Amino acid sequence: MDQLSGMDRSELSGFARKLPKTELHLHIEGTLEARMMFDLAERNQLSLPYRTIEEVEAAYRFTDLQSFLDIYYQAADVLQTEADFADLMSAYLTRVSAEGVRHAEIFFDPQTHTHRGVDMGTVIGGFVQAQEEAAPDITSSLILCFLRHLSAEDAMETLEAARPYLEYIQGVGLDSGEKGNPPERFVEPYRQAVQAGLVPVAHAGEEGPAEYIWSALDLLGARRIDHGVRAIDDPRLIERLARDRVPLTMCPLSNQRLQVYPDLKQHPLRRFMEAGVMVTVNSDDPAYFGGYVLDNYLAIAEALDLTGPDLVRLAENSVAASFLPSGRKAALLEEISTYVRRFVRRS
Ligand code: ADE
Ligand code: ZN
């Protein structure tokens, strides 16, 4: 294993690229690249507040979560037809299957679309078409998110609108502006979603306090916490996460761009790993935050001096923390160890 520990940056990058992994925190609307935004605006005859890629890049200098969300929800307006949603999903799956992603559990925000008159069936139909047509070496599932800046009643209506499509949806999540929007309000929509067979997860402790993580666990029954970085403030919570093996789906480049940790060297990922918490690395909204999942592995490795074995642990965690059946998990873990063995033998 010495070869793994002693890799320089370029070797580590080559190693991480093909390392089999899953992605568990990815908003499909956050994969809308500027190029595709322009193409879809043209296809749907819409005007955009930007004329050039440079203008887009200038707009993507975020000061906090809300400054990002304002731009992100507006950009989603270009998604109108089933083909648009299919193209978005297809581009993501194609792109990340080339960087070792073997499975992705993908968030979508139906209210962003239904509130502007796009039918739930159009959204899900497009996604499912692309998922079914994707390369055979990547699988994926969908997690329906409630927007927490909207009401519980709205969340309930969203769940009702999704009922005809539940066979295509694996989980329920909670996202959007966190501060002032604690999990408490969503107890009833979550209860109904779980009763309908969806697995609960929730964004918590990204900008909001550690108490929101306790509520997500105890009131919503969240099986994973998305972000969860603020748990670092609460030793009892760290113990609880470690003891119950509750995964945290962390997104380093997102935290950096949204000024949660402007300097990634301050990021708590390594401290969570050392405390025995099951952390995973993901991309959140890669078209907005400057990198897909591989870039996130490499950025956090560089900032925190992570080694090859640390990256292997993160990839193994990504499999263990997924909602895949145990047989597929075992097969993916075996793929990881075969990959590592071959890599060590070759170097
Ligand atoms: N929606 C998309 N990205 C998000 C994030 N980082 N936090 C909350 N809601 C989001
Ligand atoms: Zn997120």
Side-chain angles (χ1 to χ4, degrees):
M1 280 302 221
D2 274 1
Q3 294 97 318
L4 275 195
S5 305
M7 285 188 275
D8 64 25
R9 256 178 57 204
S10 104
E11 289 167 322
L12 200 64
S13 162
F15 173 72
R17 173 175 295 279
K18 296 242 172 77
L19 179 63
K21 55 183 91 60
T22 80
E23 174 146 57
L24 306 177
H25 186 157
L26 179 279
H27 301 264
I28 195 65
E29 292 89 351
T31 67
L32 180 62
E33 292 287 342
R35 186 67 266 149
M36 185 180 283
M37 179 170 69
F38 284 120
D39 289 348
L40 293 182
E42 195 177 326
R43 181 149 110 187
N44 294 320
Q45 300 179 347
L46 299 164
S47 63
L48 287 170
Y50 324 102
R51 276 164 306 154
T52 63
I53 298 275
E54 290 71 35
E55 283 183 20
V56 173
E57 281 166 3
Y60 288 5
R61 296 206 188 106
F62 308 116
T63 51
D64 59 8
L65 175 56
Q66 193 58 51
S67 68
F68 153 69
L69 291 171
D70 292 342
I71 282 178
Y72 163 82
Y73 292 137
Q74 183 185 50
D77 285 355
V78 301
L79 297 161
Q80 305 240 328
T81 66
E82 198 163 299
D84 300 341
F85 290 96
D87 287 352
L88 185 72
M89 178 64 80
S90 174
Y92 165 72
L93 292 174
T94 303
R95 181 160 185 161
V96 297
S97 76
E99 44 185 73
V101 175
R102 306 284 286 104
H103 175 70
E105 296 177 2
I106 300 175
F107 295 131
F108 71 113
D109 288 339
Q111 287 149 301
T112 301
H113 313 300
T114 54
H115 276 219
R116 52 192 177 84
V118 178
D119 191 71
M120 182 73 81
T122 302
V123 178
I124 296 175
F127 293 153
V128 171
Q129 184 195 324
Q131 289 174 284
E132 287 175 352
E133 286 170 5
D137 59 355
I138 184 165
T139 56
S140 58
S141 66
L142 293 175
I143 300 176
L144 177 157
C145 284
F146 297 134
L147 295 179
R148 68 200 307 160
H149 69 274
L150 300 176
S151 67
E153 291 68 35
D154 209 301
M156 234 100 79
E157 281 165 27
T158 303
L159 180 63
E160 287 314 309
R163 277 199 196 276
Y165 310 101
L166 285 180
E167 65 182 291
Y168 303 113
I169 304 173
Q170 183 172 36
V172 61
L174 186 66
D175 63 4
S176 193
E178 187 181 12
K179 281 186 186 160
N181 293 312
E184 282 82 316
R185 246 180 332 117
F186 295 91
V187 168
E188 185 53 23
Y190 263 70
R191 199 188 61 74
Q192 293 191 16
V194 169
Q195 202 169 42
L198 304 187
V199 184
V201 299
H203 281 56
E206 176 186 16
E207 279 190 346
E211 292 88 80
Y212 287 15
I213 302 174
W214 286 106
S215 310
L217 295 172
D218 292 337
L219 303 180
L220 304 184
R223 298 256 307 272
R224 290 196 300 246
I225 296 294
D226 300 309
H227 293 295
V229 289
R230 292 260 56 93
I232 204 68
D233 303 331
D234 183 342
R236 269 187 55 240
L237 179 55
I238 295 175
E239 253 172 52
R240 161 88 183 268
L241 295 169
R243 187 197 69 202
D244 292 352
R245 294 177 61 75
V246 180
L248 301 182
T249 64
M250 300 194 144
C251 309
L253 289 174
S254 163
N255 294 153
Q256 185 176 44
R257 289 295 192 95
L258 300 185
Q259 313 301 327
V260 177
Y261 295 101
D263 176 3
L264 271 190
K265 288 191 188 309
Q266 307 301 320
H267 197 282
L269 177 137
R270 181 194 273 285
R271 282 179 278 159
F272 282 114
M273 283 178 93
E274 286 167 359
V277 177
M278 192 190 287
V279 298
T280 64
V281 169
N282 309 273
S283 68
D284 210 7
D285 302 285
Y288 293 88
F289 300 148
Y292 284 73
V293 66
L294 174 65
D295 304 303
N296 276 273
Y297 272 70
L298 297 179
I300 199 68
E302 183 172 358
L304 304 183
D305 286 327
L306 302 182
T307 60
D310 294 325
L311 299 192
V312 173
R313 162 67 68 83
L314 289 167
E316 288 169 344
N317 284 354
S318 81
V319 172
S322 74
F323 298 136
L324 284 168
S326 57
R328 178 98 197 287
K329 281 189 187 183
L332 283 178
L333 290 172
E334 188 53 38
E335 260 191 55
I336 293 175
S337 69
T338 303
Y339 174 75
V340 171
R341 266 200 314 276
R342 288 201 180 132
F343 192 91
V344 168
R345 228 183 293 134
R346 256 190 281 122
S347 42

